[in-house]
Amino acid sequence: MPLDRIPHRPSWPIALLSCLMLALAFPALADRGPDLPDYPAEQVAPGLYVIHGPVDYPTPENQGFMNNPAFLVTETGVIVVDPGSSVQTGEMVLRQIRKVTDKPLLAVLNTHVHGDHWLGNQAMLAATPQVPIYGHPEMLKLIAEGAGEEWVQRMMSATEGATEGTVAEGPTLPLEGGETLSIGGLTFKTHYYPHVHSTSDLMFEIPELEVLFLGDNACNGRIVRMDDGSFIGSINALDGVKAAVTASVLIPGHGRTGGWEIVDAYRDYLTGVYDGVAALYESGGSDFEMHPIIAEQLARFKDWPGFEEELGKHVSLAYLEVEADAF
């Protein structure tokens, strides 16, 4: 065969090297953690369903699923609140929605910046690319500063890669607090207090259903982190929302749905930590010395997941808050 008729073939070593370089630069889209098993969606009010997640910390076994995603089926479509900790969790939420309705996705509401509540946004956007996602401006700011990527890596580490494939897709529409949204024929009142579980917490009230989404400001049978929270701010917020809202169904960020007993119990824990530290602070005790005393005072909470892990940090954080308040 004449040389000019022989098809050109690239050097195989060079072609292979090129493929390897592309693979490193653009990881395969199929590189992702396993699907999350289905968890049941429980109806807690007319058209309102909650998927009560495990109350443990993120682990390889629970694949990082630990919050309470919820969805409302309205006349015209579906609103999702806090779709979970990973793309896999968000996909599981969508599967549960499709067991109930084939109506379109209308909106997503995020309660605060901690990624175990909102990294599932990615799945919502994959299903409905233009879906509006709402959150507090402080949440948008913190994600822009890197909080989203931090949470992606935190979940990856805690689950030994089970959440792989998750991308931080935060909200883009800000809600300052105090707004009233009308979505799908329902009213959503937003409640914001400057420094509660974080600096970005929104609580959502639906007056027609007498429902209040608490976020992580009060949890049921679960003690949560307060690394960027405020004890006094949390106590004041729970008092404020209890005075302002008429609701019979309260949905915590973690733990079972219930009534105002959720707020009362969690307020008791927060007050017990802060007041216990304040009293011992007056006696000149250190936070290290306070820990076992306050643990005994709050023994009623000792069986709540997170108590052993968080109480020591909570005492130290409350100590700093009491110290700051003293000056």
Side-chain angles (χ1 to χ4, degrees):
M1 179 181 291
L3 292 178
D4 61 355
R5 301 283 298 278
I6 298 175
H8 173 71
R9 292 183 176 86
S11 166
W12 284 112
I14 293 174
L16 181 60
L17 180 60
S18 298
C19 290
L20 289 173
M21 291 176 67
L22 285 170
L24 290 172
F26 301 100
L29 294 178
D31 287 347
R32 50 166 289 154
D35 289 343
L36 182 69
D38 286 354
Y39 286 75
E42 302 176 49
Q43 188 167 4
V44 300
L48 172 58
Y49 299 80
V50 177
I51 305 171
H52 294 100
V55 292
D56 297 322
Y57 285 89
T59 64
E61 290 71 30
N62 63 32
Q63 296 176 230
F65 177 43
M66 53 185 289
N67 80 309
N68 291 338
F71 59 93
L72 296 108
V73 181
T74 74
E75 295 176 357
T76 57
V78 179
I79 300 107
V80 175
V81 181
D82 280 357
S85 59
S86 66
V87 66
Q88 291 85 357
T89 302
E91 290 167 350
M92 185 274 289
V93 172
L94 288 171
R95 292 197 299 273
Q96 304 321 299
I97 292 172
R98 293 304 165 225
K99 291 177 183 179
V100 176
T101 182
D102 60 359
K103 291 179 179 179
L105 192 59
L106 299 179
V108 178
L109 307 177
N110 293 161
T111 58
H112 64 292
V113 72
H114 297 154
D116 55 314
H117 292 262
W118 63 269
L119 287 172
N121 287 353
Q122 179 186 356
M124 305 298 115
L125 287 166
T128 308
Q130 301 304 316
V131 66
I133 303 179
Y134 296 90
H136 192 268
E138 181 70 7
M139 178 178 176
L140 274 65
K141 179 177 80 72
L142 290 169
I143 292 173
E145 293 171 351
E149 291 304 320
E150 290 176 11
W151 273 98
V152 168
Q153 294 307 315
R154 183 176 299 178
M155 299 306 296
M156 279 282 290
S157 176
T159 64
E160 297 179 4
T163 60
E164 185 173 1
T166 300
V167 176
E169 298 278 7
T172 56
L173 298 175
L175 291 171
E176 299 272 358
E179 300 96 338
T180 298
L181 298 177
S182 179
I183 311 174
L186 288 176
T187 304
F188 292 80
K189 291 185 176 180
T190 60
H191 299 270
Y192 174 72
Y193 296 85
H195 199 182
V196 192
H197 173 65
S198 72
T199 57
S200 62
D201 299 276
L202 287 172
M203 290 182 272
F204 298 106
E205 175 192 0
I206 308 173
E208 297 94 333
L209 300 179
E210 294 190 357
V211 163
L212 178 65
F213 288 90
L214 293 164
D216 278 2
N217 300 311
C219 295
N220 189 4
R222 172 73 155 86
I223 304 297
V224 295
R225 68 200 297 268
M226 288 288 285
D227 297 42
D228 49 353
S230 165
F231 285 87
I232 287 296
S234 294
I235 294 164
N236 290 340
L238 294 179
D239 289 344
V241 78
K242 189 171 183 179
V245 173
T246 300
S248 57
V249 177
L250 277 67
I251 302 168
H254 303 271
R256 301 292 302 178
T257 295
W260 287 103
E261 72 279 358
I262 296 173
V263 168
D264 294 338
Y266 210 78
R267 187 190 186 283
D268 285 349
Y269 172 80
L270 296 168
T271 303
V273 173
Y274 185 86
D275 288 352
V277 168
L280 294 168
Y281 180 85
E282 292 295 325
S283 304
S286 69
D287 56 350
F288 178 78
E289 295 168 322
M290 294 175 184
H291 184 187
I293 299 171
I294 294 174
E296 185 175 349
Q297 293 171 350
L298 296 176
R300 60 173 284 206
F301 300 101
K302 66 181 177 63
D303 293 329
W304 285 26
F307 181 83
E308 291 291 336
E309 295 86 351
E310 300 294 338
L311 182 62
K313 291 189 292 181
H314 287 181
V315 169
S316 296
L317 291 166
Y319 185 96
L320 295 174
E321 200 168 334
V322 168
E323 188 174 50
D325 291 342
F327 291 95

